[in-house]
Amino acid sequence: IGKENSSSMKEFILMGLSENQGVHKIHFVVFLLFYTLTVAGNLLIVLTVTSSWHLNSPMYFFLCHLSFVDICFSSVTAPKMISGFLVENNTISFAGCIGQLFGLHFFGCTEVFILTAMAYDRYAAICRPLRYPAFMSRRLCGRVLGVSWAGGFLHATLQTLPTALLPFCGPNKVAHYFCDVRPLLHLACADTRAEGLAAVANSGVISLDCFLILVTSYVVILLSLRGRTLAGWHKALSTCGSHIAAVILFLGPSTFVYIRPCGDLSEDRSVAVFYMLIAPMLNPFIYTLRNGKVRGAMRKLCRRKV
């Protein structure tokens, strides 16, 4: 079946973010700027954390890997989308489409798991401060990170393999600006109801479950702050506020896209911009504006480079 796919469907045409040709040049400039800020900002976070011995706590360990995943996640789709604004037909090969699908879910799911690990780190730091070093040892952090990458790989494989084995023999216009499961299922020459339900059960349940776990963890943190001083509240919330904002920007839109039944794909295109490009672009600003240690380490890094 895989050989028939590659011979009958050589390439797909990505419809893009908008079918209005008049706004493509504006989209090109805007999204090129967004992508440049995403790569530059997250790369600066990675270099700052890895070069500063002050930023050696588990929170910054996970932040460094989150920024690296953000770069990879955006790079899976953004360059192809941006270049597509300059051509009439933005084509992608069958192998490239399947590779984009795998990378999208691999890095996206890994990011979800890292965000969940960061929430547990904040819970341990605030609610169990005396036992925090034992809860979040370097070995445990390494294992959690390894499980996050392995979980992302397993999720991506379960999403990609069934889709790649479907027969594609009809229309080749993907109603999206990147290859994802739902748009590709619309093009398959077969009954794809089972694959559609499996995709919702896989991506949707992971997104929703992790979102609920994150919300529950912060409810527990807020309840544990009862009776503390105003300074204690401010310190705890200042460390959690950045993470809550990042979670809402990333998991909110992605949960909406993957948990709902198949519907209008134009809505998916609009919402996907938030978790594909906006959230990764804003993460460096979110985590640095309220964190004096990171800002100070960035200034030292820039002075050394200059």
Side-chain angles (χ1 to χ4, degrees):
I1 296 176
K3 292 181 179 179
E4 292 178 3
N5 284 348
S6 59
S7 60
S8 60
M9 186 64 69
K10 297 290 185 182
E11 64 182 17
F12 293 101
I13 299 176
L14 300 174
M15 297 302 292
L17 185 63
S18 171
E19 297 178 15
N20 185 357
Q21 297 289 332
V23 300
H24 279 192
K25 290 184 179 180
I26 298 175
H27 283 165
F28 172 80
V29 174
V30 170
F31 287 104
L32 179 61
L33 176 63
F34 284 177
Y35 180 62
T36 302
L37 290 174
T38 299
V39 175
N42 284 288
L43 184 60
L44 182 59
I45 291 285
V46 172
L47 293 175
T48 300
V49 175
T50 54
S51 64
S52 176
W53 62 271
H54 293 287
L55 306 178
N56 59 357
S57 68
M59 180 176 69
Y60 301 113
F61 172 80
F62 287 120
L63 175 59
C64 177
H65 287 276
L66 178 69
S67 293
F68 174 74
V69 172
D70 274 337
I71 295 173
C72 299
F73 183 59
S74 295
S75 298
V76 170
T77 59
K80 187 66 179 175
M81 177 187 70
I82 294 168
S83 63
F85 291 131
L86 301 179
V87 297
E88 185 174 351
N89 288 325
N90 186 20
T91 60
I92 185 171
S93 66
F94 180 83
C97 184
I98 298 301
Q100 192 179 66
L101 171 63
F102 180 86
L104 167 73
H105 286 274
F106 176 43
F107 294 114
C109 188
T110 302
E111 175 153 355
V112 170
F113 290 147
I114 291 177
L115 286 171
T116 307
M118 293 174 73
Y120 177 76
D121 171 69
R122 293 299 84 206
Y123 161 78
I126 295 171
C127 300
R128 300 288 186 271
L130 298 179
R131 301 186 63 186
Y132 178 67
F135 272 130
M136 300 302 295
S137 64
R138 296 291 294 183
R139 175 179 292 185
L140 178 61
C141 290
R143 288 178 178 175
V144 169
L145 184 66
V147 170
S148 298
W149 283 101
F153 180 83
L154 177 62
H155 164 76
T157 302
L158 293 176
Q159 290 288 79
T160 305
L161 193 58
T163 306
L165 295 177
L166 288 172
F168 294 96
C169 53
N172 67 337
K173 291 186 177 181
V174 180
H176 217 307
Y177 59 87
F178 58 83
C179 291
D180 203 356
V181 175
R182 186 173 294 173
L184 290 177
L185 292 182
H186 280 71
L187 303 180
C189 305
D191 185 359
T192 60
R193 284 177 293 183
E195 288 80 2
L197 289 174
V200 171
N202 195 341
S203 294
V205 170
I206 287 177
S207 297
L208 182 60
D209 285 352
C210 289
F211 186 75
L212 292 176
I213 290 171
L214 289 162
V215 171
T216 302
S217 68
Y218 282 107
V219 170
V220 173
I221 289 174
L222 290 175
L223 291 176
S224 70
L225 294 176
R226 290 182 302 178
R228 295 197 182 185
T229 63
L230 184 61
W233 271 86
H234 183 267
K235 182 178 179 181
L237 293 179
S238 65
T239 61
C240 297
S242 301
H243 189 61
I244 293 173
V247 167
I248 292 174
L249 283 172
F250 183 82
L251 272 178
S254 61
T255 301
F256 170 81
V257 168
Y258 289 109
I259 201 65
R260 70 191 185 97
C262 293
D264 187 5
L265 292 178
S266 63
E267 294 182 4
D268 289 1
R269 281 186 288 180
S270 301
V271 175
V273 172
F274 284 92
Y275 67 85
M276 288 299 306
L277 206 55
I278 303 298
M281 178 188 70
L282 293 179
N283 277 350
F285 299 99
I286 291 172
Y287 283 105
T288 56
L289 289 177
R290 295 174 60 88
N291 194 311
K293 291 181 67 175
V294 176
R295 293 199 304 271
M298 281 185 176
R299 286 193 292 267
K300 290 180 181 179
L301 175 66
C302 292
R303 284 198 294 267
R304 287 204 302 267
K305 295 300 181 182
V306 171

